[in-house]
Amino acid sequence: MVVQALAFYLFASILVLSAFFVITARNPVHSVLFLILSFFNAAGLFVLLGAEFIALTLVIVYVGAVAVLFLFVVMMLDISFADLRKGAMQYVPMGLVIGAIILTELVMLFGAWQFAPGAGQNLAVPVVELVDVTNTEALGQVLYTNYVLAFQVAGLILFIAMIGAIVLTHRRRPGIRRQVVSKQQAVRGEDVIEIRKVTTGTGA
Amino acid sequence: MIGFNLIPLLPEIFLALTGMGLLIVGLNITKEGRGKEAAEIVSWTSCASYALAFVVLLGISWQPQIVLNGMFKLDQFAGFVKLLILLGMMTSLALSVRFIKDEGFARIEYPILITFAGIGMMIMVSASNLLTLYMGLELQSLSLYVLASFNRNSLRSSEAGIKYFLLGALSSGLLLFGISLIYGFTGSIDYGAIQATLMVLQDIPFGVTFGLVFMLAGLAFKVSAVPFHMWTPDVYQGAPTSVTAFFALVPKLAAMALLTRLLFEPFSALSEQWGQIIYFISVASMMVGAFAAIGQENIKRLMAYSSIGNMGYALIGLAVGTQMGVSALLIYLLIYMVMTAGTFAIIMSMRRDGRAYENISDLSGMSQTNPVLAYCLAILMFSMSGIPPLAGFFGKLFIFEAAVAGEFYVLAVLGVLSSVVAAYYYLRIVKVMFFDEAGDAFEGGLPFARRLILCLSIVFVLGFILKPGVFIASTQGAVAALFAG
């Protein structure tokens, strides 16, 4: 138990600290690196909870794809983050007020929290017996059966995201030479190579 | 797996398959260098597929049934609203075909996105689980964000898309937060289980009310009810007019139906709590809709405020919380949809020298230059402001009748007062058309689809008084299903 508690406090404190550095770091590349660190620590917390599938998904999806994409954007695009932040300071007081209100509400909510009488029974319904099954298997068993509709609709949403990205950004640029393999192969030597006799002394 | 039966989902499955198929077909036609033609072919085929889905929907049984592990429910209410959604999709796509061609952004993705937005809306209406609700909502919203910025060469259109996307994402966040609280409290995301859990409670604890408030805030954004309406005027103005027409016709109907089912099925035990919230946003929407529209110069912005106000009237039906109120809500939305379709058919025809005009002052003296259009718009505006014996009057009449029957007198009085204020700006359009000095005529005439839709809309508005019973009976039948279980 002590090891677990130690691990929890280690992951949790690094998570909070790195999340703090994400928003305070001056250099955007550092921000993204701290973001990656906080993802890893969140994944550690999930492992402690016994949810190894979510932990691994977090690492693969968020660290492997999302954060690296951020890093690319930050490094490739010439965005001056200092300029972006210039006007932001004037909104800080308002933001703090709203944040404080929501925080008080949440604390009040937490203080008065109680579960509904039937909540335990309701929770028990979708869970597969977790005796000999890893939680990846358990997820797989319900994902493609009980939740097949949500799964398919999620597929449609991703499909729309793809169409949307292409519609909004793809431009057909004129004057670009594209590789067309069939054309390349259809080229015959006599079409492109011209052999000229150059008499000695006349070449430039 | 429990309740595996795909029959109730047939219209959605059919639309999804045709959507994907048409994308492939359209891309192949585009590849042959016939891009403009491809957009037209795919649009009309999509229209036909909506009509087919309509027939399929009529063909399957509407006896209440919950399938796919309680995720999806088809009953008379869902069936009726889905018919309206399909009609709205057909109308707005038919209105768009010529417009997107004239404006030079005719691409095959336009009808495809409308198809998928429609699938999302149909799933929303049938949602019987908070997960399905969210999935449907996101499918619809994501398609709408892309549609809003579809004319990517126009700065306004891109701005509208970005604005809509950011605020929409925020509202989805609020909605999800609310859902997580509800899940935390009841331990379930299934409508039936939530209802059963909440039914037995003696007093309603803080947590569940909190969750409900967040969910309502997220959904109020989707129906653009005050105070979550800020995006509406900018998005309506910035988006291409054909997309604005689609926004005005369909998504609000779907969101309103989703809200209705949510409030009357899982949260029926909390009617005291949500009653107050709906009461407030209804009054606020009517007032803002009426007063903020007065100073507008752009007709699309005006329609945005008009839709905010109209959602306020529709919400009265919910606030009343009776079967009569909900059936009045449905019939109100139906009438509003028909009037808006006609109005947008005219707005899209405001073209001169190959450019679209959208200011109210551009309409001046239209009674001399384009008399037919002017008279049609006048009829629609009279109907919108609720002058008897036109259809718009009956929509408001049923709503106020329900409010009075439910003893919500203050709400009814406020509704009547704000509709008097709103009448001012509707009638101002009539005044500009008939009494101001004539400008140049609008050119190009009316393409067939627009003319047909305008005619149908006018016939409906004028003829509603002759046979109101048909519509009343069908909405009452639809709503009875909601209150039966």
Side-chain angles (χ1 to χ4, degrees):
Chain A
M1 284 314 282
V2 181
V3 181
Q4 269 199 8
L6 271 179
F8 171 77
Y9 285 112
L10 184 72
F11 286 137
S13 52
I14 297 181
L15 173 61
V16 173
L17 270 181
S18 58
F20 182 72
F21 284 129
V22 172
I23 54 170
T24 51
R26 290 216 161 267
N27 186 335
V29 177
H30 292 175
S31 285
V32 178
L33 291 176
F34 275 119
L35 190 67
I36 293 176
L37 182 63
S38 62
F39 282 143
F40 266 114
N41 283 287
L45 288 179
F46 276 120
V47 171
L48 280 183
L49 284 172
E52 71 270 4
F53 182 75
I54 299 184
L56 288 179
T57 317
L58 198 69
V59 172
I60 295 170
V61 175
Y62 282 85
V63 179
V66 177
V68 171
L69 200 66
F70 278 172
L71 207 56
F72 265 121
V73 170
V74 168
M75 295 198 299
M76 303 288 251
L77 295 184
D78 186 22
I79 301 171
S80 165
F81 284 86
D83 284 352
L84 279 181
R85 282 196 196 141
K86 244 175 209 161
M89 280 312 279
Q90 57 176 321
Y91 300 112
V92 168
M94 194 64 191
L96 283 179
V97 169
I98 293 177
I101 293 175
I102 294 182
L103 184 68
T104 0
E105 284 174 345
L106 286 181
V107 169
M108 279 162 64
L109 181 68
F110 182 70
W113 187 265
Q114 60 186 95
F115 290 98
Q121 280 172 337
N122 287 340
L123 272 179
V125 176
V127 182
V128 188
E129 280 297 323
L130 277 173
V131 188
D132 297 318
V133 194
T134 62
N135 63 38
T136 313
E137 256 181 290
L139 269 176
Q141 279 178 10
V142 289
L143 186 59
Y144 305 112
T145 54
N146 290 353
Y147 295 99
V148 67
L149 177 65
F151 180 76
Q152 293 295 344
V153 178
L156 285 184
I157 294 177
L158 291 177
F159 182 54
I160 288 298
M162 193 173 77
I163 296 180
I166 294 172
V167 165
L168 295 181
T169 57
H170 178 73
R171 280 170 204 274
R172 201 170 293 279
R173 293 187 213 167
I176 286 186
R177 292 170 175 272
R178 292 175 198 281
Q179 183 180 29
V180 183
V181 178
S182 56
K183 262 190 189 171
Q184 286 178 333
Q185 285 176 338
V187 167
R188 288 175 305 166
E190 50 267 34
D191 292 340
V192 284
I193 300 172
E194 203 175 335
I195 299 173
R196 293 200 178 181
K197 285 264 184 271
V198 183
T199 45
T200 35
T202 57
Chain B
M1 121 163 249
I2 316 150
F4 185 81
N5 177 6
L6 289 180
I7 305 284
L9 275 95
L10 272 182
E12 284 86 353
I13 295 175
F14 172 72
L15 279 183
L17 290 179
T18 41
M20 288 185 257
L22 281 175
L23 188 67
I24 297 173
V25 172
L27 282 177
N28 276 320
I29 305 178
T30 315
K31 220 171 153 190
E32 290 166 16
R34 297 188 292 157
K36 293 263 159 57
E37 216 176 312
E40 212 160 318
I41 296 170
V42 174
S43 296
W44 289 122
T45 326
S46 298
C47 256
S49 77
Y50 306 156
L52 263 176
F54 192 91
V55 176
V56 172
L57 183 59
L58 280 177
I60 55 182
S61 155
W62 288 6
Q63 283 309 310
Q65 47 184 330
I66 301 181
V67 294
L68 295 179
N69 191 37
M71 303 280 269
F72 190 92
K73 179 173 187 179
L74 181 67
D75 55 4
Q76 279 103 326
F77 180 72
F80 183 75
V81 176
K82 280 185 198 178
L83 286 186
L84 293 186
I85 290 174
L86 284 168
L87 274 181
M89 285 161 69
M90 243 183 283
T91 314
S92 53
L93 188 54
L95 283 176
S96 308
V97 180
R98 178 68 174 273
F99 184 84
I100 57 175
K101 197 167 149 199
D102 286 347
E103 289 287 298
F105 54 89
R107 303 174 62 184
I108 54 153
E109 289 88 353
Y110 186 92
I112 304 285
L113 285 169
I114 288 195
T115 307
F116 281 100
I119 297 170
M121 290 182 237
M122 290 165 76
I123 291 174
M124 276 159 68
V125 173
S126 269
S128 165
N129 184 308
L130 295 177
L131 190 62
T132 329
L133 174 157
Y134 183 69
M135 287 310 213
L137 199 67
E138 279 305 297
L139 180 57
Q140 176 238 27
S141 306
L142 200 61
S143 315
L144 296 187
Y145 303 146
V146 182
L147 278 172
S149 45
F150 201 84
N151 186 8
R152 59 185 190 187
N153 294 324
S154 142
L155 203 59
R156 274 182 188 283
S157 176
S158 316
E159 186 198 321
I162 294 268
K163 224 171 225 175
Y164 193 24
F165 175 68
L166 285 179
L167 291 174
L170 185 69
S171 81
S172 290
L174 290 179
L175 181 73
L176 277 181
F177 186 57
I179 290 179
S180 71
L181 284 175
I182 299 287
Y183 176 63
F185 178 76
T186 59
S188 179
I189 49 173
D190 185 76
Y191 280 14
I194 293 175
Q195 188 176 24
T197 313
L198 294 179
M199 273 299 188
V200 295
L201 291 178
Q202 297 301 324
D203 49 18
I204 305 297
F206 204 38
V208 68
T209 320
F210 217 81
L212 181 66
V213 170
F214 272 99
M215 284 192 74
L216 282 180
L219 289 173
F221 174 90
K222 303 288 177 198
V223 296
S224 75
V226 178
F228 305 99
H229 66 288
M230 278 79 144
W231 59 277
T232 323
D234 290 343
V235 172
Y236 270 50
Q237 186 186 2
T241 309
S242 57
V243 177
T244 313
F246 180 59
F247 281 4
L249 283 172
V250 212
K252 301 230 172 122
L253 173 71
M256 206 57 118
L258 169 115
L259 189 61
T260 311
R261 188 190 288 285
L262 191 72
L263 294 181
F264 286 97
E265 277 182 6
F267 295 114
S268 54
L270 271 66
S271 58
E272 223 168 275
Q273 276 80 358
W274 59 252
Q276 294 169 2
I277 303 172
I278 300 287
Y279 191 109
F280 168 73
I281 60 176
S282 157
V283 171
S285 306
M286 288 189 298
M287 291 296 161
V288 170
F291 285 100
I294 291 175
Q296 300 305 325
E297 289 303 324
N298 182 299
I299 195 157
K300 280 156 77 183
R301 269 188 106 77
L302 184 90
M303 289 308 286
Y305 281 107
S306 149
S307 98
I308 294 173
N310 278 302
M311 287 305 124
Y313 297 117
L315 282 168
I316 292 182
L318 275 188
V320 172
T322 57
Q323 191 166 342
M324 194 177 167
V326 180
S327 82
L329 161 94
L330 270 193
I331 206 156
Y332 189 88
L333 289 174
L334 166 67
I335 292 172
Y336 173 70
M337 194 170 107
V338 176
M339 294 188 300
T340 320
T343 313
F344 271 99
I346 295 174
I347 295 178
M348 282 185 201
S349 304
M350 291 167 61
R351 302 185 71 83
R352 215 180 274 151
D353 317 323
R355 249 191 72 206
Y357 284 76
E358 42 192 55
N359 281 335
I360 294 173
S361 54
D362 295 325
L363 289 167
S364 71
M366 211 166 114
S367 61
Q368 287 147 45
T369 53
N370 303 65
V372 180
L373 279 188
Y375 280 99
C376 288
L377 190 55
I379 292 174
L380 289 168
M381 287 298 128
F382 280 127
S383 172
M384 285 252 191
S385 54
I387 288 169
L390 304 173
F393 166 73
F394 287 97
K396 289 202 166 91
L397 178 73
F398 295 139
I399 286 276
F400 295 144
E401 203 183 349
V404 170
E407 300 189 336
F408 283 76
Y409 300 117
V410 180
L411 205 52
V413 170
L414 286 174
V416 172
L417 286 181
S418 66
S419 70
V420 171
V421 177
Y424 164 76
Y425 61 78
Y426 291 128
L427 297 185
R428 185 165 68 113
I429 294 183
V430 178
K431 177 236 161 202
V432 168
M433 287 191 304
F434 284 83
F435 301 109
D436 281 8
E437 211 165 293
D440 293 334
F442 292 121
E443 293 159 0
L446 281 177
F448 175 73
R450 244 177 253 171
R451 192 176 307 170
L452 180 72
I453 287 163
L454 185 58
C455 278
L456 289 177
S457 163
I458 296 285
V459 167
F460 179 89
V461 167
L462 290 175
F464 185 81
I465 187 171
L466 301 176
K467 272 233 173 273
V470 187
F471 301 101
I472 296 171
S474 50
T475 50
Q476 273 170 350
V479 172
L482 198 63
F483 280 82

